[in-house]
Amino acid sequence: MPTHTSGSASFASGGIFFHGVRADPSDIADVRRSMQQWLGNLHLGPEHEQDVVLASYEALANAVEHAYAANDPQATVDLEAVYRPSDRHLEVTVADHGRWRDVMDRTGYGSRGHGLTLMRSLSTEMVVTPGLDGTHVAMRWSL
């Protein structure tokens, strides 16, 4: 399963792990594609796969947008996804190493700010843990 992201990626039958991926839209899009391929190999069904990919990508996009200043060369994100077939649980953790920054809605339409609600509605359970070393978003699906 090739990837073009910076950082390191590893794949196992029960998990997919990305560490030190550049916090850049093109690099997280590569992570999303790898997630789709990995989930497809698990045969969870298209609805579950789409929910996991969308929620995971939203968490990555939030990290890119809110954790770092634009063009920060040190900005990285991590994603870990683990599937436990014995109990039919899938867990995804997305972490950044920055500090929360509010991004103003430049469009004036007020359509921003629904990412956490979306992630919460797509997963069985979600916990956001902010800290001095970054923010961790843990999502879980009971399949």
Side-chain angles (χ1 to χ4, degrees):
M1 189 179 307
T3 182
H4 296 69
T5 60
S6 57
S8 64
S10 59
F11 311 94
S13 60
I16 184 170
F17 311 92
F18 293 89
H19 295 280
V21 175
R22 219 167 34 106
D24 177 87
S26 62
D27 287 310
I28 65 169
D30 287 340
V31 172
R32 181 185 63 218
R33 283 187 287 278
S34 294
M35 282 279 295
Q36 285 174 315
Q37 186 175 358
W38 176 71
L39 289 164
N41 291 332
L42 297 178
H43 306 289
L44 303 175
E47 183 178 312
H48 291 304
E49 292 169 17
Q50 291 171 5
D51 288 353
V52 173
V53 169
L54 181 55
S56 300
Y57 186 71
E58 182 63 32
L60 288 166
N62 277 354
V64 169
E65 188 171 14
H66 294 289
Y68 303 103
N71 302 317
D72 180 345
Q74 303 299 315
T76 62
V77 294
D78 304 327
L79 180 142
E80 296 186 2
V82 176
Y83 176 58
R84 292 184 176 83
S86 60
D87 60 6
R88 303 260 315 146
H89 286 144
L90 182 97
E91 296 176 12
V92 175
T93 303
V94 173
D96 66 60
H97 311 284
R99 297 208 184 235
W100 183 264
R101 297 176 319 102
D102 246 343
V103 176
M104 297 302 296
D105 178 10
R106 292 177 186 90
T107 64
Y109 295 112
S111 62
R112 301 181 49 87
H114 302 290
L116 293 176
T117 302
L118 177 68
M119 289 184 281
R120 209 170 264 116
S121 69
L122 292 171
S123 60
T124 304
E125 136 184 25
M126 183 192 79
V127 176
V128 178
T129 308
L132 296 176
D133 63 340
T135 300
H136 298 250
V137 177
M139 296 171 284
R140 183 173 173 221
W141 286 263
S142 295
L143 306 170

